[in-house]
PDB file of all heavy atoms in Angstrom:
ATOM      1  N   LEU C1356     -78.578  80.920  39.464  1.00  0.00           N
ATOM      2  CA  LEU C1356     -78.213  80.775  38.054  1.00  0.00           C
ATOM      3  C   LEU C1356     -79.339  80.209  37.200  1.00  0.00           C
ATOM      4  O   LEU C1356     -79.571  80.665  36.083  1.00  0.00           O
ATOM      5  CB  LEU C1356     -76.955  79.916  37.916  1.00  0.00           C
ATOM      6  CG  LEU C1356     -75.654  80.609  38.322  1.00  0.00           C
ATOM      7  CD1 LEU C1356     -74.470  79.647  38.263  1.00  0.00           C
ATOM      8  CD2 LEU C1356     -75.371  81.812  37.420  1.00  0.00           C
ATOM      9  N   LEU C1357     -80.064  79.216  37.704  1.00  0.00           N
ATOM     10  CA  LEU C1357     -81.175  78.678  36.919  1.00  0.00           C
ATOM     11  C   LEU C1357     -82.338  79.659  36.858  1.00  0.00           C
ATOM     12  O   LEU C1357     -83.065  79.716  35.870  1.00  0.00           O
ATOM     13  CB  LEU C1357     -81.654  77.339  37.492  1.00  0.00           C
ATOM     14  CG  LEU C1357     -81.127  76.095  36.770  1.00  0.00           C
ATOM     15  CD1 LEU C1357     -79.621  75.998  36.918  1.00  0.00           C
ATOM     16  CD2 LEU C1357     -81.795  74.838  37.302  1.00  0.00           C
ATOM     17  N   ASP C1358     -82.503  80.429  37.906  1.00  0.00           N
ATOM     18  CA  ASP C1358     -83.604  81.391  37.959  1.00  0.00           C
ATOM     19  C   ASP C1358     -83.350  82.589  37.045  1.00  0.00           C
ATOM     20  O   ASP C1358     -84.244  83.038  36.317  1.00  0.00           O
ATOM     21  CB  ASP C1358     -83.780  81.864  39.404  1.00  0.00           C
ATOM     22  CG  ASP C1358     -85.124  82.550  39.638  1.00  0.00           C
ATOM     23  OD1 ASP C1358     -85.875  82.768  38.668  1.00  0.00           O
ATOM     24  OD2 ASP C1358     -85.421  82.879  40.802  1.00  0.00           O
ATOM     25  N   PHE C1359     -82.100  83.083  37.044  1.00  0.00           N
ATOM     26  CA  PHE C1359     -81.828  84.344  36.359  1.00  0.00           C
ATOM     27  C   PHE C1359     -80.857  84.241  35.177  1.00  0.00           C
ATOM     28  O   PHE C1359     -80.625  85.240  34.505  1.00  0.00           O
ATOM     29  CB  PHE C1359     -81.296  85.374  37.359  1.00  0.00           C
ATOM     30  CG  PHE C1359     -82.364  85.935  38.251  1.00  0.00           C
ATOM     31  CD1 PHE C1359     -82.701  85.308  39.435  1.00  0.00           C
ATOM     32  CD2 PHE C1359     -83.059  87.080  37.891  1.00  0.00           C
ATOM     33  CE1 PHE C1359     -83.704  85.816  40.250  1.00  0.00           C
ATOM     34  CE2 PHE C1359     -84.058  87.602  38.697  1.00  0.00           C
ATOM     35  CZ  PHE C1359     -84.390  86.963  39.886  1.00  0.00           C
ATOM     36  N   VAL C1360     -80.285  83.077  34.923  1.00  0.00           N
ATOM     37  CA  VAL C1360     -79.353  82.938  33.798  1.00  0.00           C
ATOM     38  C   VAL C1360     -79.749  81.773  32.893  1.00  0.00           C
ATOM     39  O   VAL C1360     -80.034  81.959  31.700  1.00  0.00           O
ATOM     40  CB  VAL C1360     -77.897  82.761  34.299  1.00  0.00           C
ATOM     41  CG1 VAL C1360     -76.953  82.595  33.104  1.00  0.00           C
ATOM     42  CG2 VAL C1360     -77.465  83.959  35.140  1.00  0.00           C
ATOM     43  N   TYR C1361     -79.781  80.582  33.441  1.00  0.00           N
ATOM     44  CA  TYR C1361     -80.009  79.390  32.626  1.00  0.00           C
ATOM     45  C   TYR C1361     -81.466  78.932  32.722  1.00  0.00           C
ATOM     46  O   TYR C1361     -81.777  77.843  33.224  1.00  0.00           O
ATOM     47  CB  TYR C1361     -79.055  78.279  33.050  1.00  0.00           C
ATOM     48  CG  TYR C1361     -77.599  78.623  32.834  1.00  0.00           C
ATOM     49  CD1 TYR C1361     -76.690  78.598  33.888  1.00  0.00           C
ATOM     50  CD2 TYR C1361     -77.141  78.993  31.572  1.00  0.00           C
ATOM     51  CE1 TYR C1361     -75.350  78.917  33.682  1.00  0.00           C
ATOM     52  CE2 TYR C1361     -75.811  79.316  31.355  1.00  0.00           C
ATOM     53  CZ  TYR C1361     -74.918  79.284  32.418  1.00  0.00           C
ATOM     54  OH  TYR C1361     -73.602  79.610  32.212  1.00  0.00           O
ATOM     55  N   VAL C1362     -82.352  79.757  32.214  1.00  0.00           N
ATOM     56  CA  VAL C1362     -83.787  79.464  32.275  1.00  0.00           C
ATOM     57  C   VAL C1362     -84.129  78.222  31.449  1.00  0.00           C
ATOM     58  O   VAL C1362     -84.975  77.406  31.845  1.00  0.00           O
ATOM     59  CB  VAL C1362     -84.595  80.684  31.792  1.00  0.00           C
ATOM     60  CG1 VAL C1362     -86.091  80.367  31.749  1.00  0.00           C
ATOM     61  CG2 VAL C1362     -84.333  81.878  32.707  1.00  0.00           C
ATOM     62  N   ASP C1363     -83.463  78.043  30.305  1.00  0.00           N
ATOM     63  CA  ASP C1363     -83.739  76.869  29.465  1.00  0.00           C
ATOM     64  C   ASP C1363     -83.374  75.567  30.179  1.00  0.00           C
ATOM     65  O   ASP C1363     -84.041  74.541  29.987  1.00  0.00           O
ATOM     66  CB  ASP C1363     -82.976  76.972  28.146  1.00  0.00           C
ATOM     67  CG  ASP C1363     -83.573  78.015  27.205  1.00  0.00           C
ATOM     68  OD1 ASP C1363     -84.734  78.402  27.424  1.00  0.00           O
ATOM     69  OD2 ASP C1363     -82.869  78.452  26.270  1.00  0.00           O
ATOM     70  N   THR C1364     -82.322  75.620  30.977  1.00  0.00           N
ATOM     71  CA  THR C1364     -81.951  74.431  31.754  1.00  0.00           C
ATOM     72  C   THR C1364     -83.060  74.089  32.742  1.00  0.00           C
ATOM     73  O   THR C1364     -83.422  72.917  32.919  1.00  0.00           O
ATOM     74  CB  THR C1364     -80.624  74.662  32.509  1.00  0.00           C
ATOM     75  OG1 THR C1364     -79.599  74.963  31.573  1.00  0.00           O
ATOM     76  CG2 THR C1364     -80.234  73.433  33.310  1.00  0.00           C
ATOM     77  N   ALA C1365     -83.598  75.111  33.384  1.00  0.00           N
ATOM     78  CA  ALA C1365     -84.692  74.888  34.328  1.00  0.00           C
ATOM     79  C   ALA C1365     -85.905  74.280  33.627  1.00  0.00           C
ATOM     80  O   ALA C1365     -86.565  73.373  34.158  1.00  0.00           O
ATOM     81  CB  ALA C1365     -85.073  76.210  34.994  1.00  0.00           C
ATOM     82  N   LYS C1366     -86.198  74.750  32.416  1.00  0.00           N
ATOM     83  CA  LYS C1366     -87.322  74.195  31.653  1.00  0.00           C
ATOM     84  C   LYS C1366     -87.102  72.711  31.357  1.00  0.00           C
ATOM     85  O   LYS C1366     -88.038  71.897  31.407  1.00  0.00           O
ATOM     86  CB  LYS C1366     -87.491  74.960  30.343  1.00  0.00           C
ATOM     87  CG  LYS C1366     -88.026  76.377  30.500  1.00  0.00           C
ATOM     88  CD  LYS C1366     -88.131  77.047  29.131  1.00  0.00           C
ATOM     89  CE  LYS C1366     -88.637  78.467  29.227  1.00  0.00           C
ATOM     90  NZ  LYS C1366     -88.699  79.133  27.900  1.00  0.00           N
ATOM     91  N   SER C1367     -85.842  72.352  31.045  1.00  0.00           N
ATOM     92  CA  SER C1367     -85.553  70.943  30.746  1.00  0.00           C
ATOM     93  C   SER C1367     -85.775  70.070  31.980  1.00  0.00           C
ATOM     94  O   SER C1367     -86.251  68.933  31.867  1.00  0.00           O
ATOM     95  CB  SER C1367     -84.121  70.791  30.223  1.00  0.00           C
ATOM     96  OG  SER C1367     -83.168  70.926  31.262  1.00  0.00           O
ATOM     97  N   LEU C1368     -85.438  70.589  33.145  1.00  0.00           N
ATOM     98  CA  LEU C1368     -85.676  69.844  34.390  1.00  0.00           C
ATOM     99  C   LEU C1368     -87.160  69.546  34.561  1.00  0.00           C
ATOM    100  O   LEU C1368     -87.561  68.426  34.898  1.00  0.00           O
ATOM    101  CB  LEU C1368     -85.197  70.663  35.596  1.00  0.00           C
ATOM    102  CG  LEU C1368     -83.706  70.870  35.798  1.00  0.00           C
ATOM    103  CD1 LEU C1368     -83.471  71.906  36.883  1.00  0.00           C
ATOM    104  CD2 LEU C1368     -83.034  69.569  36.188  1.00  0.00           C
ATOM    105  N   ILE C1369     -87.953  70.577  34.336  1.00  0.00           N
ATOM    106  CA  ILE C1369     -89.403  70.441  34.512  1.00  0.00           C
ATOM    107  C   ILE C1369     -89.955  69.390  33.553  1.00  0.00           C
ATOM    108  O   ILE C1369     -90.725  68.505  33.946  1.00  0.00           O
ATOM    109  CB  ILE C1369     -90.086  71.807  34.295  1.00  0.00           C
ATOM    110  CG1 ILE C1369     -89.628  72.788  35.374  1.00  0.00           C
ATOM    111  CG2 ILE C1369     -91.613  71.663  34.304  1.00  0.00           C
ATOM    112  CD1 ILE C1369     -89.932  74.240  35.066  1.00  0.00           C
ATOM    113  N   LYS C1370     -89.546  69.473  32.284  1.00  0.00           N
ATOM    114  CA  LYS C1370     -90.051  68.531  31.278  1.00  0.00           C
ATOM    115  C   LYS C1370     -89.610  67.097  31.578  1.00  0.00           C
ATOM    116  O   LYS C1370     -90.382  66.144  31.401  1.00  0.00           O
ATOM    117  CB  LYS C1370     -89.577  68.947  29.882  1.00  0.00           C
ATOM    118  CG  LYS C1370     -90.169  70.263  29.393  1.00  0.00           C
ATOM    119  CD  LYS C1370     -91.690  70.191  29.304  1.00  0.00           C
ATOM    120  CE  LYS C1370     -92.287  71.466  28.736  1.00  0.00           C
ATOM    121  NZ  LYS C1370     -93.784  71.407  28.709  1.00  0.00           N
ATOM    122  N   ASN C1371     -88.394  66.944  32.014  1.00  0.00           N
ATOM    123  CA  ASN C1371     -87.906  65.600  32.351  1.00  0.00           C
ATOM    124  C   ASN C1371     -88.689  65.007  33.521  1.00  0.00           C
ATOM    125  O   ASN C1371     -89.052  63.828  33.504  1.00  0.00           O
ATOM    126  CB  ASN C1371     -86.416  65.652  32.690  1.00  0.00           C
ATOM    127  CG  ASN C1371     -85.530  65.687  31.464  1.00  0.00           C
ATOM    128  OD1 ASN C1371     -85.819  65.050  30.460  1.00  0.00           O
ATOM    129  ND2 ASN C1371     -84.443  66.442  31.527  1.00  0.00           N
ATOM    130  N   MET C1372     -88.936  65.814  34.544  1.00  0.00           N
ATOM    131  CA  MET C1372     -89.677  65.309  35.704  1.00  0.00           C
ATOM    132  C   MET C1372     -91.124  65.012  35.330  1.00  0.00           C
ATOM    133  O   MET C1372     -91.707  64.024  35.799  1.00  0.00           O
ATOM    134  CB  MET C1372     -89.611  66.317  36.850  1.00  0.00           C
ATOM    135  CG  MET C1372     -88.227  66.505  37.454  1.00  0.00           C
ATOM    136  SD  MET C1372     -87.434  64.954  37.983  1.00  0.00           S
ATOM    137  CE  MET C1372     -88.571  64.387  39.250  1.00  0.00           C
ATOM    138  N   ASN C1373     -91.709  65.854  34.486  1.00  0.00           N
ATOM    139  CA  ASN C1373     -93.066  65.582  34.003  1.00  0.00           C
ATOM    140  C   ASN C1373     -93.128  64.237  33.289  1.00  0.00           C
ATOM    141  O   ASN C1373     -94.105  63.485  33.421  1.00  0.00           O
ATOM    142  CB  ASN C1373     -93.528  66.675  33.039  1.00  0.00           C
ATOM    143  CG  ASN C1373     -93.747  68.029  33.690  1.00  0.00           C
ATOM    144  OD1 ASN C1373     -93.851  69.048  33.006  1.00  0.00           O
ATOM    145  ND2 ASN C1373     -93.817  68.087  35.016  1.00  0.00           N
ATOM    146  N   SER C1374     -92.083  63.925  32.519  1.00  0.00           N
ATOM    147  CA  SER C1374     -92.088  62.702  31.701  1.00  0.00           C
ATOM    148  C   SER C1374     -92.082  61.431  32.535  1.00  0.00           C
ATOM    149  O   SER C1374     -92.436  60.364  32.034  1.00  0.00           O
ATOM    150  CB  SER C1374     -90.893  62.708  30.746  1.00  0.00           C
ATOM    151  OG  SER C1374     -89.675  62.451  31.446  1.00  0.00           O
ATOM    152  N   ILE C1375     -91.668  61.541  33.794  1.00  0.00           N
ATOM    153  CA  ILE C1375     -91.655  60.342  34.659  1.00  0.00           C
ATOM    154  C   ILE C1375     -92.719  60.438  35.758  1.00  0.00           C
ATOM    155  O   ILE C1375     -92.657  59.736  36.770  1.00  0.00           O
ATOM    156  CB  ILE C1375     -90.263  60.107  35.287  1.00  0.00           C
ATOM    157  CG1 ILE C1375     -89.787  61.324  36.090  1.00  0.00           C
ATOM    158  CG2 ILE C1375     -89.249  59.746  34.210  1.00  0.00           C
ATOM    159  CD1 ILE C1375     -88.513  61.068  36.888  1.00  0.00           C
ATOM    160  N   GLY C1376     -93.701  61.358  35.553  1.00  0.00           N
ATOM    161  CA  GLY C1376     -94.871  61.375  36.419  1.00  0.00           C
ATOM    162  C   GLY C1376     -94.829  62.332  37.590  1.00  0.00           C
ATOM    163  O   GLY C1376     -95.593  62.150  38.549  1.00  0.00           O
ATOM    164  N   TYR C1377     -93.988  63.345  37.544  1.00  0.00           N
ATOM    165  CA  TYR C1377     -93.913  64.296  38.663  1.00  0.00           C
ATOM    166  C   TYR C1377     -94.245  65.710  38.193  1.00  0.00           C
ATOM    167  O   TYR C1377     -93.689  66.208  37.211  1.00  0.00           O
ATOM    168  CB  TYR C1377     -92.524  64.281  39.296  1.00  0.00           C
ATOM    169  CG  TYR C1377     -92.292  63.072  40.159  1.00  0.00           C
ATOM    170  CD1 TYR C1377     -91.824  61.884  39.590  1.00  0.00           C
ATOM    171  CD2 TYR C1377     -92.574  63.094  41.519  1.00  0.00           C
ATOM    172  CE1 TYR C1377     -91.632  60.755  40.368  1.00  0.00           C
ATOM    173  CE2 TYR C1377     -92.391  61.968  42.312  1.00  0.00           C
ATOM    174  CZ  TYR C1377     -91.916  60.799  41.728  1.00  0.00           C
ATOM    175  OH  TYR C1377     -91.743  59.674  42.501  1.00  0.00           O
ATOM    176  N   LYS C1378     -95.171  66.325  38.914  1.00  0.00           N
ATOM    177  CA  LYS C1378     -95.473  67.728  38.676  1.00  0.00           C
ATOM    178  C   LYS C1378     -94.458  68.572  39.434  1.00  0.00           C
ATOM    179  O   LYS C1378     -94.020  68.198  40.521  1.00  0.00           O
ATOM    180  CB  LYS C1378     -96.881  68.066  39.157  1.00  0.00           C
ATOM    181  CG  LYS C1378     -97.278  69.501  38.863  1.00  0.00           C
ATOM    182  CD  LYS C1378     -98.660  69.828  39.414  1.00  0.00           C
ATOM    183  CE  LYS C1378     -98.988  71.292  39.136  1.00  0.00           C
ATOM    184  NZ  LYS C1378    -100.285  71.690  39.736  1.00  0.00           N
ATOM    185  N   VAL C1379     -94.064  69.697  38.855  1.00  0.00           N
ATOM    186  CA  VAL C1379     -93.058  70.564  39.458  1.00  0.00           C
ATOM    187  C   VAL C1379     -93.699  71.887  39.866  1.00  0.00           C
ATOM    188  O   VAL C1379     -94.421  72.508  39.074  1.00  0.00           O
ATOM    189  CB  VAL C1379     -91.892  70.838  38.481  1.00  0.00           C
ATOM    190  CG1 VAL C1379     -90.840  71.735  39.143  1.00  0.00           C
ATOM    191  CG2 VAL C1379     -91.265  69.525  38.016  1.00  0.00           C
ATOM    192  N   GLU C1380     -93.433  72.308  41.098  1.00  0.00           N
ATOM    193  CA  GLU C1380     -93.878  73.614  41.565  1.00  0.00           C
ATOM    194  C   GLU C1380     -92.661  74.481  41.866  1.00  0.00           C
ATOM    195  O   GLU C1380     -91.562  73.970  42.129  1.00  0.00           O
ATOM    196  CB  GLU C1380     -94.767  73.477  42.810  1.00  0.00           C
ATOM    197  CG  GLU C1380     -96.091  72.791  42.512  1.00  0.00           C
ATOM    198  CD  GLU C1380     -97.046  72.795  43.701  1.00  0.00           C
ATOM    199  OE1 GLU C1380     -96.703  73.405  44.745  1.00  0.00           O
ATOM    200  OE2 GLU C1380     -98.130  72.183  43.590  1.00  0.00           O
ATOM    201  N   PHE C1381     -92.889  75.792  41.859  1.00  0.00           N
ATOM    202  CA  PHE C1381     -91.795  76.743  42.077  1.00  0.00           C
ATOM    203  C   PHE C1381     -92.188  77.725  43.182  1.00  0.00           C
ATOM    204  O   PHE C1381     -92.875  78.721  42.922  1.00  0.00           O
ATOM    205  CB  PHE C1381     -91.488  77.502  40.784  1.00  0.00           C
ATOM    206  CG  PHE C1381     -90.278  78.408  40.876  1.00  0.00           C
ATOM    207  CD1 PHE C1381     -89.004  77.921  40.639  1.00  0.00           C
ATOM    208  CD2 PHE C1381     -90.419  79.747  41.211  1.00  0.00           C
ATOM    209  CE1 PHE C1381     -87.896  78.752  40.722  1.00  0.00           C
ATOM    210  CE2 PHE C1381     -89.323  80.586  41.300  1.00  0.00           C
ATOM    211  CZ  PHE C1381     -88.050  80.090  41.059  1.00  0.00           C
ATOM    212  N   PRO C1382     -91.787  77.470  44.422  1.00  0.00           N
ATOM    213  CA  PRO C1382     -92.097  78.397  45.521  1.00  0.00           C
ATOM    214  C   PRO C1382     -91.442  79.752  45.274  1.00  0.00           C
ATOM    215  O   PRO C1382     -90.214  79.856  45.197  1.00  0.00           O
ATOM    216  CB  PRO C1382     -91.505  77.697  46.749  1.00  0.00           C
ATOM    217  CG  PRO C1382     -91.459  76.244  46.374  1.00  0.00           C
ATOM    218  CD  PRO C1382     -91.140  76.246  44.916  1.00  0.00           C
ATOM    219  N   MET C1383     -92.236  80.787  45.145  1.00  0.00           N
ATOM    220  CA  MET C1383     -91.733  82.095  44.728  1.00  0.00           C
ATOM    221  C   MET C1383     -90.902  82.805  45.796  1.00  0.00           C
ATOM    222  O   MET C1383     -90.153  83.727  45.492  1.00  0.00           O
ATOM    223  CB  MET C1383     -92.908  82.996  44.316  1.00  0.00           C
ATOM    224  CG  MET C1383     -93.563  82.566  43.025  1.00  0.00           C
ATOM    225  SD  MET C1383     -92.435  82.704  41.617  1.00  0.00           S
ATOM    226  CE  MET C1383     -93.406  81.916  40.323  1.00  0.00           C
ATOM    227  N   GLY C1384     -91.015  82.396  47.024  1.00  0.00           N
ATOM    228  CA  GLY C1384     -90.272  83.078  48.088  1.00  0.00           C
ATOM    229  C   GLY C1384     -88.824  82.643  48.216  1.00  0.00           C
ATOM    230  O   GLY C1384     -88.071  83.194  49.035  1.00  0.00           O
ATOM    231  N   GLN C1385     -88.408  81.697  47.398  1.00  0.00           N
ATOM    232  CA  GLN C1385     -87.037  81.191  47.499  1.00  0.00           C
ATOM    233  C   GLN C1385     -86.022  82.251  47.103  1.00  0.00           C
ATOM    234  O   GLN C1385     -86.277  83.094  46.247  1.00  0.00           O
ATOM    235  CB  GLN C1385     -86.849  79.931  46.659  1.00  0.00           C
ATOM    236  CG  GLN C1385     -87.049  80.110  45.181  1.00  0.00           C
ATOM    237  CD  GLN C1385     -86.901  78.797  44.416  1.00  0.00           C
ATOM    238  OE1 GLN C1385     -85.795  78.420  44.021  1.00  0.00           O
ATOM    239  NE2 GLN C1385     -88.021  78.104  44.198  1.00  0.00           N
ATOM    240  N   ALA C1386     -84.858  82.195  47.749  1.00  0.00           N
ATOM    241  CA  ALA C1386     -83.787  83.176  47.522  1.00  0.00           C
ATOM    242  C   ALA C1386     -82.484  82.440  47.252  1.00  0.00           C
ATOM    243  O   ALA C1386     -82.471  81.212  47.093  1.00  0.00           O
ATOM    244  CB  ALA C1386     -83.657  84.086  48.733  1.00  0.00           C
ATOM    245  N   CYS C1387     -81.388  83.175  47.230  1.00  0.00           N
ATOM    246  CA  CYS C1387     -80.064  82.552  47.105  1.00  0.00           C
ATOM    247  C   CYS C1387     -79.906  81.505  48.197  1.00  0.00           C
ATOM    248  O   CYS C1387     -80.331  81.708  49.342  1.00  0.00           O
ATOM    249  CB  CYS C1387     -78.979  83.628  47.227  1.00  0.00           C
ATOM    250  SG  CYS C1387     -77.295  82.967  47.315  1.00  0.00           S
ATOM    251  N   CYS C1388     -79.288  80.386  47.875  1.00  0.00           N
ATOM    252  CA  CYS C1388     -79.156  79.291  48.844  1.00  0.00           C
ATOM    253  C   CYS C1388     -78.282  79.649  50.040  1.00  0.00           C
ATOM    254  O   CYS C1388     -78.378  79.024  51.094  1.00  0.00           O
ATOM    255  CB  CYS C1388     -78.604  78.045  48.164  1.00  0.00           C
ATOM    256  SG  CYS C1388     -76.870  78.206  47.631  1.00  0.00           S
ATOM    257  N   GLY C1389     -77.416  80.639  49.877  1.00  0.00           N
ATOM    258  CA  GLY C1389     -76.515  81.029  50.964  1.00  0.00           C
ATOM    259  C   GLY C1389     -75.111  80.497  50.801  1.00  0.00           C
ATOM    260  O   GLY C1389     -74.242  80.758  51.632  1.00  0.00           O
TER     261      GLY C1389
END
């Protein structure tokens, strides 16, 4: 859902984590959690 529907929510996560000193990476091989 964050990958293909709620992209803005994902962006907010990244910005929030950046604000407290954490860089965010996105492993491209990830799939549905199952």
Side-chain angles (χ1 to χ4, degrees):
L1356 286 175
L1357 261 64
D1358 196 354
F1359 285 88
V1360 179
Y1361 297 123
V1362 176
D1363 287 342
T1364 301
K1366 289 179 181 178
S1367 74
L1368 290 170
I1369 296 165
K1370 293 299 184 182
N1371 280 323
M1372 293 307 298
N1373 292 165
S1374 74
I1375 57 172
Y1377 284 86
K1378 183 183 178 184
V1379 181
E1380 293 187 4
F1381 186 86
M1383 290 296 172
Q1385 63 182 272
C1387 172
C1388 69

